[in-house]
Amino acid sequence: MEKISFGKKGLIPAIIQDIDTGKVLMLGYMNEKAWEETLRTGKVHFWSRSRQKLWLKGETSGHFLLVKEIWIDCDEDTLLIKVKPVSGVCHTGHYSCFYRQWNGKEKRWEEKEKKIFSPEEVYGKGD
Amino acid sequence: MEKISFGKKGLIPAIIQDIDTGKVLMLGYMNEKAWEETLRTGKVHFWSRSRQKLWLKGETSGHFLLVKEIWIDCDEDTLLIKVKPVSGVCHTGHYSCFYRQWNGKEKRWEEKEKKIFSPEEVYGKGD
């Protein structure tokens, strides 16, 4: 049987990693339905906490996350999903949502990665 | 100024990645104090949700996570910390907490990684 702890709110965090580059792309949250749809379709689905609905990542942009491997942690309360991303995953136009690095000397976040697509062209509304 | 969203519970999830191998090692949660101690000491601190206390990762085992880079996501509600791990990070004795992979055919989690240390020898009690 699959053992997953969806937590008090029925959600489990899922770390998304590019299987080819090893880059961590984003963190999303799945409920049971999102988990089932991810397995059924091979495309990552989340539960959108802001929109309170099932969210096929890429439904607006076409930037789907194609599932290659799924791992679970020791406590069964976090998923690691290795994917092939169709294109950049971030709604800002960046390849990864982690495009800002902590600058310890200046005590500020510093943008380190360039955009790889134009969010205005790709999205009508968010993704 | 540092902009971080610690969420309703005062916690932000922090993905821990080995800077050399690219392996994702674990997911932990930081409160503001853990964040400050991580910056101050260069060793990852979490808020232990199970023990409800500040947790220097490695305080029992010596398996510290030495901070090399810190990244934040677009929404400022997830951290990605690249580290040099002193040894395996998982309380089970594995290098990574993600040592089990989903077997889609058999619909079960399958252990894929071997233990690299004996948890009985390393821990008095958990870490």
Side-chain angles (χ1 to χ4, degrees):
Chain A
M1 277 299 294
E2 68 207 70
K3 276 168 68 187
I4 297 184
S5 171
F6 284 99
K8 287 175 193 163
K9 290 184 183 167
L11 296 176
I12 187 168
I15 301 164
I16 306 298
Q17 184 178 30
D18 187 317
I19 195 164
D20 293 320
T21 66
K23 277 258 198 180
V24 175
L25 301 178
M26 64 177 292
L27 183 79
Y29 294 84
M30 289 185 175
N31 61 3
E32 198 163 355
K33 179 72 175 168
W35 164 251
E36 289 168 358
E37 286 300 295
T38 297
L39 290 185
R40 191 179 67 78
T41 64
K43 291 179 180 149
V44 173
H45 289 64
F46 297 115
W47 174 255
S48 169
R49 296 179 303 168
S50 56
R51 290 179 287 160
Q52 290 283 303
K53 67 192 266 300
L54 188 70
W55 167 31
L56 164 59
K57 174 66 186 161
E59 62 194 1
T60 306
S61 61
H63 297 184
F64 300 108
L65 300 172
L66 309 180
V67 176
K68 296 299 165 187
E69 295 178 3
I70 305 177
W71 297 74
I72 199 161
D73 75 340
C74 49
D75 296 329
E76 287 152 4
D77 60 6
T78 306
L79 294 169
L80 169 63
I81 305 185
K82 298 190 186 182
V83 303
K84 266 194 191 288
V86 167
S87 181
V89 308
C90 189
H91 74 285
T92 58
H94 293 84
Y95 162 56
S96 163
C97 291
F98 298 94
Y99 56 86
R100 285 175 297 173
Q101 188 181 353
W102 180 248
N103 182 321
K105 281 186 190 158
E106 299 178 10
K107 297 191 187 305
R108 65 179 184 86
W109 298 106
E110 190 173 356
E111 190 159 331
K112 289 284 202 173
E113 308 278 351
K114 297 254 181 277
K115 294 184 185 188
I116 64 167
F117 67 90
S118 161
E120 294 75 17
E121 283 171 23
V122 167
Y123 298 110
K125 300 179 200 173
D127 183 27
Chain B
M1 278 300 294
E2 68 209 70
K3 276 168 68 187
I4 296 184
S5 171
F6 284 99
K8 287 174 193 165
K9 290 182 182 168
L11 297 175
I12 187 167
I15 301 164
I16 306 299
Q17 184 178 31
D18 187 319
I19 196 164
D20 292 320
T21 66
K23 277 259 199 179
V24 175
L25 301 178
M26 63 177 293
L27 184 79
Y29 294 84
M30 289 186 177
N31 62 4
E32 198 163 354
K33 179 72 174 167
W35 164 251
E36 289 167 357
E37 286 300 294
T38 297
L39 290 185
R40 191 179 66 79
T41 64
K43 292 180 180 149
V44 174
H45 289 65
F46 297 115
W47 175 254
S48 168
R49 296 178 303 167
S50 57
R51 291 179 286 158
Q52 289 283 302
K53 66 191 262 305
L54 187 70
W55 166 32
L56 165 59
K57 174 68 185 160
E59 62 194 0
T60 306
S61 61
H63 296 184
F64 300 108
L65 301 172
L66 309 180
V67 176
K68 296 299 165 186
E69 295 178 4
I70 305 177
W71 297 75
I72 199 160
D73 75 340
C74 49
D75 297 329
E76 288 151 5
D77 61 6
T78 307
L79 295 169
L80 169 64
I81 304 185
K82 300 190 184 180
V83 303
K84 266 195 190 288
V86 167
S87 180
V89 308
C90 191
H91 73 285
T92 59
H94 292 85
Y95 162 55
S96 164
C97 291
F98 298 94
Y99 56 87
R100 287 173 296 173
Q101 187 181 354
W102 180 248
N103 182 321
K105 281 185 187 155
E106 298 178 12
K107 296 191 187 304
R108 65 180 184 85
W109 298 106
E110 190 173 356
E111 189 159 333
K112 288 285 200 172
E113 310 277 352
K114 298 253 182 277
K115 294 183 186 188
I116 64 166
F117 67 90
S118 160
E120 294 75 16
E121 283 172 24
V122 167
Y123 297 110
K125 300 179 200 170
D127 183 28

